[in-house]
Coordinates of all heavy atoms in Angstrom, one line a residue:
T227 N 3.7 -7.9 -20.5 CA 3.7 -8.8 -21.6 C 3.8 -10.2 -21.0 O 4.8 -10.4 -20.1 CB 4.9 -8.6 -22.5 OG1 4.8 -7.2 -23.0 CG2 4.8 -9.5 -23.8
T258 N 11.0 -12.0 -16.6 CA 11.7 -13.0 -17.4 C 12.5 -12.2 -18.5 O 11.9 -11.4 -19.1 CB 11.0 -14.1 -17.9 OG1 10.5 -14.8 -16.7 CG2 11.8 -15.1 -18.7
F259 N 13.7 -12.7 -18.8 CA 14.5 -11.8 -19.7 C 14.2 -12.0 -21.2 O 14.8 -12.9 -21.9 CB 16.0 -12.3 -19.5 CG 17.0 -11.3 -20.2 CD1 17.1 -10.0 -19.8 CD2 17.8 -11.8 -21.2 CE1 17.9 -9.1 -20.4 CE2 18.7 -10.9 -21.8 CZ 18.8 -9.6 -21.4
G260 N 13.2 -11.3 -21.6 CA 13.0 -11.1 -23.1 C 12.2 -12.1 -23.8 O 12.3 -13.3 -23.6
G261 N 11.3 -11.6 -24.6 CA 10.5 -12.4 -25.5 C 9.9 -11.5 -26.6 O 9.8 -10.3 -26.5
L262 N 9.7 -12.1 -27.7 CA 9.1 -11.3 -28.8 C 7.7 -10.6 -28.5 O 7.0 -11.3 -27.6 CB 8.9 -12.3 -30.0 CG 10.0 -12.7 -30.8 CD1 9.7 -13.9 -31.8 CD2 10.7 -11.6 -31.5
P263 N 7.5 -9.5 -28.9 CA 6.2 -8.9 -28.6 C 5.0 -9.7 -29.2 O 5.1 -10.3 -30.2 CB 6.4 -7.5 -29.3 CG 7.2 -7.7 -30.5 CD 8.3 -8.7 -30.0
P264 N 3.9 -9.7 -28.4 CA 2.7 -10.4 -28.9 C 2.1 -9.8 -30.1 O 2.4 -8.6 -30.4 CB 1.8 -10.3 -27.7 CG 2.3 -9.1 -27.0 CD 3.7 -9.0 -27.1
V271 N 2.8 -13.7 -25.2 CA 4.0 -13.9 -26.1 C 3.9 -15.3 -26.7 O 3.3 -16.3 -26.1 CB 5.3 -13.7 -25.4 CG1 5.4 -12.3 -24.8 CG2 5.5 -14.7 -24.3
W273 N 5.8 -18.2 -26.6 CA 6.8 -18.7 -25.9 C 7.6 -19.9 -26.6 O 8.7 -20.1 -26.2 CB 6.3 -19.2 -24.5 CG 7.3 -19.4 -23.4 CD1 7.7 -20.4 -22.8 CD2 8.2 -18.3 -22.9 NE1 8.7 -20.3 -21.8 CE2 9.0 -18.8 -21.9 CE3 8.3 -17.0 -23.3 CZ2 9.9 -18.1 -21.2 CZ3 9.2 -16.3 -22.5 CH2 10.0 -16.8 -21.5
H275 N 8.5 -19.7 -29.7 CA 9.6 -19.1 -30.5 C 10.1 -17.9 -29.8 O 9.6 -16.8 -30.0 CB 8.9 -18.7 -31.9 CG 8.4 -19.8 -32.7 ND1 7.1 -20.0 -33.0 CD2 9.1 -20.8 -33.3 CE1 7.0 -21.1 -33.6 NE2 8.2 -21.6 -33.9
R276 N 10.9 -18.2 -28.9 CA 11.5 -17.1 -28.0 C 13.0 -17.0 -28.3 O 13.7 -17.9 -28.7 CB 11.2 -17.4 -26.6 CG 12.0 -18.6 -26.1 CD 11.6 -18.9 -24.6 NE 12.3 -20.1 -24.1 CZ 12.0 -21.3 -24.3 NH1 11.0 -21.6 -25.1 NH2 12.7 -22.3 -23.8
P277 N 13.4 -15.7 -28.2 CA 14.9 -15.4 -28.5 C 15.8 -16.2 -27.5 O 15.3 -16.4 -26.3 CB 15.0 -13.9 -28.3 CG 13.7 -13.4 -28.6 CD 12.7 -14.4 -28.1
Q278 N 16.9 -16.8 -28.1 CA 17.8 -17.6 -27.2 C 18.8 -16.6 -26.6 O 19.7 -16.2 -27.3 CB 18.5 -18.6 -28.0 CG 19.6 -19.4 -27.5 CD 19.2 -20.0 -26.1 OE1 19.1 -19.3 -25.1 NE2 19.1 -21.3 -26.0
L279 N 18.6 -16.2 -25.4 CA 19.3 -15.2 -24.7 C 20.2 -15.7 -23.5 O 20.8 -14.8 -22.8 CB 18.4 -14.1 -24.2 CG 17.5 -13.5 -25.2 CD1 16.4 -12.6 -24.6 CD2 18.3 -12.6 -26.3
R284 N 24.1 -20.2 -25.7 CA 24.4 -19.7 -27.0 C 25.2 -18.4 -26.8 O 24.7 -17.2 -26.6 CB 23.1 -19.2 -27.8 CG 23.5 -18.7 -29.2 CD 22.3 -18.2 -29.9 NE 21.7 -17.0 -29.4 CZ 22.1 -15.8 -29.7 NH1 23.2 -15.6 -30.4 NH2 21.6 -14.7 -29.0
E288 N 25.3 -10.8 -31.1 CA 24.6 -9.6 -31.2 C 24.9 -8.7 -30.1 O 25.6 -9.1 -29.1 CB 23.1 -9.9 -31.2 CG 22.5 -10.3 -29.9 CD 22.6 -11.8 -29.5 OE1 23.4 -12.4 -30.2 OE2 21.9 -12.2 -28.7
I289 N 24.5 -7.5 -30.2 CA 24.4 -6.5 -29.0 C 23.0 -6.3 -28.6 O 22.1 -6.5 -29.5 CB 25.2 -5.2 -29.4 CG1 24.5 -4.4 -30.6 CG2 26.7 -5.4 -29.6 CD1 25.1 -3.1 -30.8
Y290 N 22.8 -5.8 -27.4 CA 21.5 -5.4 -26.9 C 21.5 -3.9 -26.8 O 22.3 -3.4 -26.1 CB 21.2 -6.0 -25.5 CG 21.3 -7.5 -25.3 CD1 21.4 -8.0 -24.0 CD2 21.2 -8.4 -26.4 CE1 21.6 -9.4 -23.8 CE2 21.2 -9.8 -26.2 CZ 21.4 -10.3 -24.9 OH 21.5 -11.7 -24.8
V291 N 20.5 -3.3 -27.3 CA 20.4 -1.9 -27.2 C 19.0 -1.5 -26.8 O 17.9 -2.2 -27.1 CB 20.8 -1.2 -28.5 CG1 22.1 -1.5 -29.0 CG2 19.7 -1.5 -29.6
D292 N 18.9 -0.3 -26.2 CA 17.6 0.2 -25.8 C 17.0 1.0 -26.8 O 17.7 1.2 -28.0 CB 17.7 1.0 -24.4 CG 18.5 2.2 -24.5 OD1 18.9 2.6 -25.6 OD2 19.0 2.7 -23.5
R293 N 16.0 1.7 -26.7 CA 15.3 2.5 -27.8 C 16.2 3.7 -28.2 O 16.0 4.3 -29.3 CB 13.9 2.9 -27.4 CG 13.7 3.8 -26.4 CD 12.3 4.3 -26.0 NE 11.6 3.0 -25.7 CZ 10.7 2.3 -26.5 NH1 10.5 2.8 -27.7 NH2 10.1 1.3 -26.1
W298 N 23.6 -1.7 -22.7 CA 23.3 -1.5 -21.3 C 23.8 -2.6 -20.4 O 23.6 -2.6 -19.2 CB 21.8 -1.2 -21.1 CG 21.0 -2.2 -21.8 CD1 20.4 -2.1 -23.0 CD2 20.4 -3.4 -21.3 NE1 19.7 -3.2 -23.3 CE2 19.6 -4.0 -22.3 CE3 20.5 -4.1 -20.1 CZ2 19.0 -5.2 -22.1 CZ3 19.8 -5.1 -19.8 CH2 19.0 -5.7 -20.8
L313 N 17.6 -5.2 -16.7 CA 16.5 -4.9 -17.6 C 15.4 -4.1 -16.9 O 14.7 -3.2 -17.6 CB 15.8 -6.2 -18.0 CG 14.6 -6.1 -19.1 CD1 15.0 -5.4 -20.3 CD2 14.1 -7.5 -19.3
I316 N 15.7 -0.3 -17.7 CA 15.7 0.1 -19.1 C 14.3 0.7 -19.4 O 13.3 0.2 -18.9 CB 16.0 -1.0 -20.0 CG1 17.4 -1.5 -19.7 CG2 15.9 -0.6 -21.5 CD1 18.5 -0.5 -19.9
D317 N 14.3 1.7 -20.2 CA 13.0 2.3 -20.6 C 12.0 1.4 -21.2 O 12.3 0.7 -22.1 CB 13.3 3.4 -21.7 CG 12.1 4.3 -22.1 OD1 11.1 4.2 -21.4 OD2 12.2 4.8 -23.2
R318 N 10.9 1.2 -20.5 CA 9.8 0.3 -20.8 C 10.3 -1.2 -20.8 O 9.6 -2.1 -21.3 CB 9.2 0.7 -22.2 CG 8.6 2.0 -22.2 CD 7.9 2.3 -23.6 NE 8.2 3.6 -24.1 CZ 7.8 4.2 -25.2 NH1 7.1 3.4 -26.0 NH2 8.1 5.5 -25.6
M319 N 11.4 -1.4 -20.2 CA 12.0 -2.7 -20.1 C 12.0 -3.5 -21.4 O 11.8 -4.7 -21.6 CB 11.2 -3.6 -19.1 CG 11.3 -3.1 -17.7 SD 10.6 -4.3 -16.5 CE 10.1 -3.2 -15.2
T320 N 12.2 -2.7 -22.5 CA 12.3 -3.2 -23.9 C 13.6 -2.9 -24.5 O 14.2 -1.9 -24.4 CB 11.2 -2.4 -24.8 OG1 9.9 -2.6 -24.2 CG2 11.2 -3.0 -26.1
F321 N 14.1 -4.0 -25.2 CA 15.4 -3.9 -25.8 C 15.4 -4.6 -27.2 O 14.5 -5.4 -27.5 CB 16.5 -4.4 -24.9 CG 16.6 -5.9 -24.7 CD1 17.4 -6.8 -25.5 CD2 15.8 -6.4 -23.8 CE1 17.4 -8.1 -25.2 CE2 15.8 -7.8 -23.5 CZ 16.6 -8.7 -24.2
W322 N 16.5 -4.4 -28.0 CA 16.6 -5.0 -29.3 C 17.9 -5.7 -29.4 O 18.9 -5.3 -29.0 CB 16.5 -4.0 -30.4 CG 15.2 -3.3 -30.6 CD1 14.3 -3.7 -31.6 CD2 14.5 -2.3 -29.9 NE1 13.1 -2.9 -31.5 CE2 13.2 -2.1 -30.4 CE3 14.9 -1.6 -28.7 CZ2 12.4 -1.2 -29.9 CZ3 14.0 -0.7 -28.2 CH2 12.8 -0.5 -28.8
M323 N 17.9 -6.9 -29.9 CA 19.1 -7.6 -30.4 C 19.4 -7.2 -31.7 O 18.6 -7.2 -32.7 CB 18.8 -9.1 -30.4 CG 18.2 -9.8 -29.2 SD 17.5 -11.4 -29.6 CE 18.9 -12.4 -30.2
V324 N 20.6 -6.6 -32.0 CA 21.0 -6.0 -33.2 C 22.2 -6.9 -33.7 O 23.2 -7.1 -32.9 CB 21.4 -4.6 -33.1 CG1 21.9 -4.1 -34.4 CG2 20.2 -3.8 -32.7
F325 N 22.2 -7.4 -35.0 CA 23.2 -8.2 -35.5 C 23.3 -8.1 -37.0 O 22.4 -7.5 -37.6 CB 23.1 -9.6 -35.0 CG 21.8 -10.3 -35.2 CD1 21.5 -11.0 -36.4 CD2 20.6 -10.0 -34.4 CE1 20.2 -11.6 -36.7 CE2 19.4 -10.6 -34.7 CZ 19.1 -11.3 -35.8
M336 N 19.2 -17.8 -33.3 CA 18.9 -16.7 -32.4 C 17.6 -17.0 -31.8 O 17.4 -16.4 -30.6 CB 18.9 -15.5 -33.3 CG 20.2 -15.1 -34.0 SD 21.2 -14.1 -32.9 CE 22.5 -13.7 -34.0
V337 N 16.7 -17.7 -32.3 CA 15.3 -17.8 -31.8 C 14.9 -19.2 -31.8 O 15.2 -20.0 -32.8 CB 14.3 -17.0 -32.6 CG1 12.9 -17.3 -32.2 CG2 14.6 -15.5 -32.7
R353 N 5.7 -9.1 -36.2 CA 6.0 -8.0 -35.3 C 7.2 -8.1 -34.7 O 7.5 -9.1 -34.0 CB 4.8 -7.7 -34.4 CG 4.9 -6.5 -33.5 CD 3.8 -6.4 -32.5 NE 4.2 -5.3 -31.5 CZ 3.7 -5.2 -30.3 NH1 2.7 -6.2 -29.9 NH2 4.0 -4.3 -29.5
G354 N 8.1 -7.0 -34.6 CA 9.3 -7.0 -33.8 C 10.5 -7.7 -34.5 O 11.6 -7.6 -33.8
V355 N 10.4 -8.1 -35.7 CA 11.5 -8.8 -36.4 C 11.8 -8.0 -37.7 O 11.0 -7.9 -38.5 CB 11.3 -10.3 -36.7 CG1 12.5 -10.9 -37.4 CG2 10.8 -11.0 -35.5
H356 N 13.0 -7.3 -37.8 CA 13.3 -6.4 -38.9 C 14.6 -6.7 -39.4 O 15.5 -7.3 -38.9 CB 13.4 -5.0 -38.2 CG 12.2 -4.6 -37.4 ND1 11.0 -4.3 -37.9 CD2 12.1 -4.5 -36.0 CE1 10.1 -4.0 -36.9 NE2 10.8 -4.1 -35.8
A368 N 12.7 -0.3 -36.6 CA 12.5 -0.9 -35.2 C 12.1 0.1 -34.2 O 11.6 -0.2 -33.2 CB 13.9 -1.5 -34.8
I370 N 14.2 2.6 -33.1 CA 15.4 2.9 -32.3 C 16.0 4.2 -32.9 O 15.8 4.6 -34.0 CB 16.4 1.9 -32.5 CG1 15.9 0.4 -32.2 CG2 17.6 2.0 -31.7 CD1 16.8 -0.7 -32.6
A410 N 17.2 -6.7 -36.4 CA 16.9 -6.3 -35.1 C 15.7 -7.0 -34.6 O 14.8 -7.2 -35.4 CB 16.6 -4.7 -35.0
I411 N 15.9 -7.6 -33.4 CA 14.7 -8.3 -32.8 C 14.3 -7.7 -31.6 O 15.1 -7.6 -30.6 CB 15.1 -9.8 -32.6 CG1 15.5 -10.5 -33.9 CG2 14.0 -10.5 -31.9 CD1 15.9 -11.9 -33.7
E412 N 13.0 -7.3 -31.5 CA 12.5 -6.6 -30.3 C 12.1 -7.6 -29.3 O 11.6 -8.6 -29.4 CB 11.3 -5.8 -30.7 CG 10.6 -4.9 -29.6 CD 9.4 -4.2 -30.2 OE1 9.3 -4.0 -31.4 OE2 8.6 -3.7 -29.4
N413 N 12.6 -7.2 -28.0 CA 12.3 -8.0 -26.8 C 11.6 -7.3 -25.8 O 12.0 -6.2 -25.5 CB 13.6 -8.6 -26.2 CG 14.2 -9.8 -27.0 OD1 13.9 -10.9 -26.6 ND2 14.9 -9.6 -28.1
H414 N 10.6 -7.8 -25.2 CA 9.8 -7.3 -24.1 C 10.1 -8.1 -22.9 O 10.3 -9.3 -22.9 CB 8.3 -7.3 -24.4 CG 8.0 -6.3 -25.5 ND1 7.1 -5.3 -25.3 CD2 8.4 -6.1 -26.7 CE1 6.9 -4.6 -26.4 NE2 7.7 -5.1 -27.4
P415 N 9.9 -7.5 -21.6 CA 9.9 -8.3 -20.4 C 8.7 -9.2 -20.4 O 7.7 -8.8 -20.8 CB 9.8 -7.2 -19.3 CG 9.1 -6.1 -20.0 CD 9.4 -6.1 -21.4
V416 N 8.9 -10.4 -20.0 CA 7.9 -11.4 -20.0 C 7.5 -11.8 -18.6 O 8.4 -12.1 -17.8 CB 8.3 -12.7 -20.8 CG1 7.2 -13.7 -20.7 CG2 8.6 -12.3 -22.2

Side-chain angles (χ1 to χ4, degrees):
T227 303
T258 295
F259 190 65
L262 288 167
V271 295
W273 200 240
H275 301 111
R276 63 190 184 278
Q278 170 54 285
L279 302 170
R284 184 187 67 81
E288 73 276 15
I289 59 173
Y290 304 159
V291 302
D292 63 15
R293 65 182 62 255
W298 48 275
L313 181 60
I316 299 303
D317 184 17
R318 301 183 219 177
M319 300 188 202
T320 300
F321 69 97
W322 287 259
M323 304 162 65
V324 174
F325 53 97
M336 299 276 187
V337 176
R353 181 186 170 197
V355 185
H356 309 285
I370 306 170
I411 299 178
E412 184 177 340
N413 279 267
H414 288 235
V416 178

